[in-house]
Amino acid sequence: MKFWVSKAVLVAAMAAPVGEAIAQQPAPQRGATQTFAPEGVKVYDPAFFARYNPVTAWDMVRQVPGFAINNGESLRGFGATAGNVLIDGKRPSSKNSISDELLRIAARDILRIEIIGAAAAGDIDVRGYTELANVVLRPATETQVSTTWNGDLAWAGQRISARAGATRSWKTDDLTVRLNTQLFSRGQRSETDITVRNASDTLVSIREEFNQQVLSELLINGTVNWAASPRDSVNLTGRLMPRLFTSNTGSISYNPAGTP
């Protein structure tokens, strides 16, 4: 009997550390396949974001737990710089904000998203951030072509604002070309009614004033990223942005009888 009791105690002692180690492992999120490799880098593959039905890379990055996109500083004439998101380990062109760049990348073209801690950044310039997001695109032995469409409507100032656009991408292992076009129209109108009376409270005149403004904009962005060698890369970017702004202001006065 003593033999079996000692055996049972020994088995329980050996099992205790194993149970404790299992309890320390974080429970995986439902539908997520998150891994940690190498140390200090968290990896999220497309399955993690499937429940959010992402359309673009922006839809995916903003769903990473505990991470917020920072577009960096806005410099006049150069757009945003030094954001906290990389694309294939490189900082995007400074002509566009990182959010704009992410909106032009289709979710189906993404292999994984890495969250890199400052300690694991290596040669990457972290620019004061505690962590960076790296959007890793799917490799392509043949040219991959994709198109992303977007559009929205808004009501403000008694006018409808509309925006519509599309992004066309061509990608191979060492070359990525993106062409984006956006058409934007925003209008607003304000109206003021003014009633004038004299000291005896007699109606003198009625005046209607209005101000109407419309801004129309065509935005064309083009980027070329070429990995000339394992150590050298060429990045080109261009922007064409013609604008048309109109403003109409008027005032109509009426006498007490209502005649203009």
Side-chain angles (χ1 to χ4, degrees):
M1 185 64 178
K2 289 183 179 180
F3 171 78
W4 292 111
V5 171
S6 61
K7 281 287 187 181
V9 172
L10 179 60
V11 171
M14 294 177 61
V18 177
E20 182 181 356
I22 294 174
Q24 290 175 352
Q25 298 297 322
Q29 298 187 33
R30 193 175 215 177
T33 55
Q34 175 186 347
T35 59
F36 296 83
E39 186 177 357
V41 178
K42 302 176 184 177
V43 179
Y44 298 86
D45 69 10
F48 178 87
F49 306 97
R51 54 184 165 176
Y52 304 114
N53 296 317
V55 176
T56 66
W58 184 83
D59 298 326
M60 299 173 71
V61 174
R62 71 189 187 97
Q63 296 294 348
V64 173
F67 185 83
I69 298 173
N70 188 321
N71 289 310
E73 298 181 12
S74 180
L75 302 179
R76 183 175 178 84
F78 292 94
T81 61
N84 63 348
V85 180
L86 310 175
I87 297 176
D88 275 341
K90 303 181 183 67
R91 293 189 179 277
S93 167
S94 61
K95 281 290 183 182
N96 308 304
S97 72
I98 185 61
S99 292
D100 290 339
E101 288 289 336
L102 295 176
L103 285 168
R104 295 171 192 147
I105 301 175
R108 61 179 173 270
D109 294 335
I110 297 176
L111 179 64
R112 65 181 181 272
I113 294 177
E114 302 172 343
I115 301 299
I116 306 172
D123 296 334
I124 300 174
D125 181 7
V126 298
R127 309 259 177 123
Y129 295 110
T130 57
E131 60 182 11
L132 299 173
N134 181 30
V135 178
V136 182
L137 303 180
R138 294 183 182 277
T141 54
E142 299 180 356
T143 303
Q144 291 184 349
V145 182
S146 63
T147 304
T148 304
W149 303 87
N150 67 280
D152 54 66
L153 295 174
W155 174 263
Q158 304 182 40
R159 287 293 182 272
I160 294 178
S161 297
R163 180 175 61 179
T167 299
R168 185 78 164 176
S169 298
W170 297 264
K171 177 175 171 54
T172 63
D173 270 345
D174 54 6
L175 180 65
T176 300
V177 179
R178 293 191 190 93
L179 181 63
N180 171 261
T181 303
Q182 298 281 338
L183 182 60
F184 178 76
S185 179
R186 180 175 62 191
Q188 61 180 10
R189 179 184 175 93
S190 61
E191 298 178 353
T192 305
D193 295 330
I194 301 175
T195 301
V196 180
R197 298 178 180 273
N198 58 21
S200 60
D201 201 30
T202 302
L203 181 64
V204 176
S205 65
I206 299 174
R207 189 165 71 250
E208 296 179 357
E209 295 183 350
F210 67 89
N211 179 270
Q212 179 174 306
Q213 299 177 345
V214 178
L215 173 63
S216 300
E217 177 181 280
L218 175 63
L219 177 61
I220 301 175
N221 281 297
T223 59
V224 177
N225 307 108
W226 175 42
S229 73
R231 296 178 56 86
D232 303 303
S233 62
V234 178
N235 300 303
L236 302 176
T237 181
R239 172 182 290 183
L240 180 64
M241 189 171 58
R243 286 177 169 177
L244 177 63
F245 179 76
T246 59
S247 179
N248 297 317
T249 302
S251 177
I252 305 175
S253 295
Y254 302 87
N255 61 22
T259 303

